[in-house]
Amino acid sequence: MRKEDGKYVLVSNYILQNDKDEEDYNGEDVISLRAFPHITMELREIFEGVD
């Protein structure tokens, strides 16, 4: 989310597709925070342990 014109706007959302055989696999996609671009994580790390 980010603030635009005094309102918060959803920019992106993520759903983990962790099956490497699936076309939409994204477990190795790397994301970072706009405020801290030098800090990065793979989606599978963020969702680790979540069922």
Side-chain angles (χ1 to χ4, degrees):
M1 294 189 97
R2 72 172 156 225
K3 199 170 186 180
E4 293 180 5
D5 299 323
K7 298 178 183 179
Y8 286 98
V9 178
L10 179 63
V11 178
S12 299
N13 62 7
Y14 299 94
I15 297 173
L16 179 63
Q17 302 294 336
N18 62 354
D19 184 349
K20 288 186 177 186
D21 294 329
E22 290 292 322
E23 179 181 340
D24 296 326
Y25 172 72
N26 64 357
E28 295 174 354
D29 287 3
V30 176
I31 64 169
S32 66
L33 300 175
R34 182 184 300 262
F36 303 99
H38 61 284
I39 299 174
T40 61
M41 293 184 78
E42 291 182 352
L43 282 180
R44 64 181 174 187
E45 293 174 310
I46 294 170
F47 290 101
E48 187 175 305
V50 176
D51 292 324

